[in-house]
Amino acid sequence: PGIVFTKSRSQTELLDFTISNLEQNLILGLILVFIVCVLFMHSLRMPFIIGITIIVAVVITFLLFFLFRVSINIISLAGLILAVGMMIDNSVIVAENITQMRERGMPLADSCVAGTNEMITPMLSSSLTTVAVFVPLVFMSGIAGAIFADQAFSITAGLAASYVAGITLLPVMYYLFY
């Protein structure tokens, strides 16, 4: 009795800003991918394949947030924003390699398989070296550990989702679109 609670600070505005920033980064990334694919790959279908793969990877990342009970906060969304750039890179690499296989005269199905198989190890090593930088942040103690653990998790989950989508979904979509 006699205790009054007042709201001294609300982080909802900052969280809304961060979510808006994530949306803007996704849209800007997809627009840039579209421009680069049209200019360098001479294809209008490729940006859609890459865009869908990136969106699926982001959805899988949010699913991993839910499964591992990671809260969506400013730090985790900042990590996801960083991961989106790497997601774009993984998708472009696989799609470009499949296209190169097709240009060498391979049939469509064989180029999808060979192009993806050729990129599995380089993408894995690239993702693991990036994750290796963030893993020590998980083991930090105190408030810094609590803060950076979310960022490390979101980058790791984003890269894992991107890797899985890049080697499973992207070749299938490439086959279906072409």
Side-chain angles (χ1 to χ4, degrees), residues 3 32 44 46 74 78 93 95 117 120 125 127 129 137 141 154:
I3 296 176
L32 290 174
L44 290 174
M46 191 67 67
I74 293 145
I93 287 170
N117 283 340
I120 286 176
S125 63
S127 296
T129 55
L137 297 177
S141 61
S154 62

Side-chain angles (χ1 to χ4, degrees), residues 54-67:
I54 293 166
I55 291 169
V56 168
V58 170
V59 169
I60 291 171
T61 304
F62 279 122
L63 178 66
L64 291 173
F65 276 21
F66 175 75
L67 292 175

Side-chain angles (χ1 to χ4, degrees), residues 114-175:
T116 303
N117 283 340
E118 192 173 284
M119 297 312 300
I120 286 176
T121 305
M123 278 178 44
L124 181 62
S125 63
S126 173
S127 296
L128 289 178
T129 55
T130 303
V131 167
V133 172
F134 291 98
V135 166
L137 297 177
V138 173
F139 300 109
M140 290 178 69
S141 61
I143 192 74
I147 290 173
F148 290 119
D150 286 349
Q151 185 179 35
F153 179 83
S154 62
I155 290 172
T156 303
L159 283 175
S162 172
Y163 180 75
V164 169
I167 63 172
T168 58
L169 178 65
L170 192 136
V172 171
M173 288 183 24
Y174 191 102
Y175 181 80

Side-chain angles (χ1 to χ4, degrees), residues 32-126:
L32 290 174
V33 164
F34 184 82
I35 292 170
V36 167
C37 286
V38 168
L39 290 176
F40 293 103
M41 295 180 174
H42 308 293
S43 171
L44 290 174
R45 295 181 218 166
M46 191 67 67
F48 294 109
I49 295 169
I50 293 169
I52 292 169
T53 304
I54 293 166
I55 291 169
V56 168
V58 170
V59 169
I60 291 171
T61 304
F62 279 122
L63 178 66
L64 291 173
F65 276 21
F66 175 75
L67 292 175
F68 288 96
R69 291 179 168 59
V70 174
S71 66
I72 297 175
N73 55 37
I74 293 145
I75 303 298
S76 62
L77 287 178
L80 188 57
I81 289 169
L82 289 170
V84 165
M86 295 178 243
M87 289 177 186
I88 293 169
D89 187 41
N90 284 346
S91 297
V92 169
I93 287 170
V94 173
E96 174 63 25
N97 203 40
I98 293 171
T99 302
Q100 285 181 3
M101 295 290 180
R102 285 192 67 210
E103 288 173 355
R104 292 179 190 159
M106 290 181 87
L108 178 59
D110 293 341
S111 65
C112 288
V113 171
T116 303
N117 283 340
E118 192 173 284
M119 297 312 300
I120 286 176
T121 305
M123 278 178 44
L124 181 62
S125 63
S126 173

